[in-house]
């Protein structure tokens, strides 16, 4: 049938995404000249002092959830939290680097099927020096206390991208949930009006009449939420909005059940982090990183 052929074509398209991304990254690594090469290696000076204080608390003996909540802004009972992440200066420099890349003639992969404007940060070569240390050293102590049942203490991979909203490009984002156990969404700027985020139910607990919660963006601050929390972005009114999105994944959790198809994962081999699943093809073969065949 036509529908079956469309589904099969989409499965094949998605299987090629990893290989295409590796090819783009190789070209970018060889040919792109960064405007701000310093932003590719995480430094404490990029991070807000209050964020570093939160991390110090979470890594101290006896740290506990109630103590951590004293440092965070909480929203309703949906387990959504706002916290400072970067300095304003870093955000401005980072956006300037992203705009420089956008103006270049480098090949560009887009974040996902819903965001047509933005940058896949793995293709820019930001995983090793910036994003992995951010996840492992700074965010994991926080998520271990906030989301223990989602593998918050063992988030071992990620997918990171920057999305851009403007009046003549992507204006908003429809309701969806993320292919992640925990998501960090940081507002990088620039000047914009409106465009708030809205949150509904956790995808596994839908209610007949969902109640939506609207949350404003605050520059240089981030929102932590469960990946399965249904959410979207309202249209911006003016200007331009850039956000860093970090989908954090725990292979311990997702190896049991794919969060997108709710089935036991059927894996195909992939390079890099893939979709955060891990598996061994046969005995004594090193651990490989895979994607779920359906996604």
């Amino acid at each position: 049938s036509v529908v079956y052929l469309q589904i099969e074509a989409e499965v094949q398209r998605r299987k090629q995404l990893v290989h295409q991304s590796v090819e783009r990254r190789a070209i970018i690594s060889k040919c792109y000249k960064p405007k701000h090469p310093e932003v590719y290696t995480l430094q404490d000076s990029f991070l807000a002092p209050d964020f570093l204080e939160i991390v110090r608390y979470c890594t101290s003996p006896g740290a506990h959830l109630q103590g951590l909540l004293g440092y965070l802004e909480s929203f309703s009972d949906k387990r959504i939290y706002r916290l400072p992440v970067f300095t304003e200066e870093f955000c401005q420099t980072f956006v300037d680097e992203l705009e420089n890349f956008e103006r270049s003639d480098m090949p560009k992969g887009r974040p996902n099927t819903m965001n047509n404007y933005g940058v896949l940060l793995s293709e820019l070569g930001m995983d090793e020096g910036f994003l992995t240390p951010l996840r492992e050293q700074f965010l994991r102590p926080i998520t271990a206390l906030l989301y223990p049942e989602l593998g918050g203490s063992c988030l071992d991979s990620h997918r990171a991208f920057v999305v851009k909203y403007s009046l003549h490009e992507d204006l908003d984002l429809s309701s969806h949930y993320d292919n992640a156990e925990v998501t960090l969404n940081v507002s990088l700027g620039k000047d914009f009006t409106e465009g708030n985020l809205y949150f509904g139910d956790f995808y596994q607990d839908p209610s007949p009449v969902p109640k939506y919660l609207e949350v404003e963006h605050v520059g240089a601050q981030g929102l932590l939420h469960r990946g399965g929390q249904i959410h979207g972005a309202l249209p911006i009114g003016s200007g331009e909005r850039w956000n860093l999105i970090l989908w954090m994944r725990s292979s311990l959790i997702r190896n049991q059940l794919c969060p997108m198809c709710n089935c036991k994962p059927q894996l195909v081999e992939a390079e890099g982090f893939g979709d955060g699943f891990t598996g061994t093809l046969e005995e004594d073969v090193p651990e490989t990183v895979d994607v779920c065949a359906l996604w």
Side-chain angles (χ1 to χ4, degrees), residues 50-254:
D50 286 348
F51 178 70
L52 293 171
E53 179 61 32
I54 292 170
V55 176
R56 272 193 293 271
Y57 172 76
C58 291
T59 53
S60 66
H64 54 85
L65 176 60
Q66 284 309 119
L68 170 58
L69 293 180
Y71 291 90
L72 308 178
E73 187 177 355
S74 303
F75 295 91
S76 76
D77 59 351
K78 296 183 185 292
R79 300 174 70 192
I80 302 162
Y81 307 99
R82 180 186 282 141
L83 71 167
V85 180
F86 299 122
T87 65
E88 294 276 1
E89 182 182 23
F90 169 76
C91 290
Q92 291 170 9
T93 305
F94 187 34
V95 169
D96 195 44
E97 174 62 30
L98 295 167
E99 289 179 322
N100 184 68
F101 176 71
E102 283 286 284
R103 288 190 296 268
S104 76
D105 59 359
M106 293 294 104
K108 300 173 181 75
R110 294 312 180 186
N112 50 59
T113 55
M114 300 177 77
N115 293 105
N116 301 301
Y117 299 90
V119 180
L120 282 166
L121 296 179
S122 62
E123 295 183 5
L124 267 183
M126 295 197 72
D127 274 339
E128 293 83 356
F130 189 103
L131 295 161
T132 295
L134 178 65
R135 169 175 51 80
E136 291 183 349
Q137 298 171 30
F138 296 95
L139 292 169
R140 205 156 56 186
I142 299 171
T143 58
L145 292 175
L146 292 177
Y147 306 108
E149 83 289 0
L150 295 173
S153 63
C154 50
L155 296 170
D156 51 4
S157 70
H158 61 260
R159 176 180 173 86
F161 48 94
V162 172
V163 293
K164 175 188 174 190
Y165 298 91
S166 68
L167 293 179
H168 304 296
E169 297 176 337
D170 283 339
L171 192 65
D172 55 14
L173 184 62
S174 300
S175 183
H176 66 285
Y177 58 88
D178 299 337
N179 186 356
E181 275 63 71
V182 180
T183 296
L184 174 69
N185 181 333
V186 185
S187 178
L188 300 172
K190 302 164 61 172
D191 292 326
F192 62 90
T193 59
E194 302 180 48
N196 290 347
L197 294 176
Y198 62 89
F199 292 88
D201 296 325
F202 192 63
Y203 81 110
Q204 292 178 339
D205 310 307
S207 57
V209 184
K211 293 181 180 177
Y212 286 93
L213 170 74
E214 201 170 314
V215 180
E216 274 187 68
H217 292 284
V218 177
Q221 297 202 15
L223 291 168
L224 274 171
H225 63 84
R226 296 172 294 177
Q229 196 82 43
I230 295 170
H231 59 286
L234 295 169
I236 63 166
S238 64
E240 208 173 271
R241 177 161 76 77
W242 292 75
N243 286 65
L244 166 65
I245 312 295
L246 187 62
W247 286 355
M248 294 180 280
R249 294 155 165 174
S250 168
S251 60
L252 184 70
I253 300 296
R254 60 182 40 224

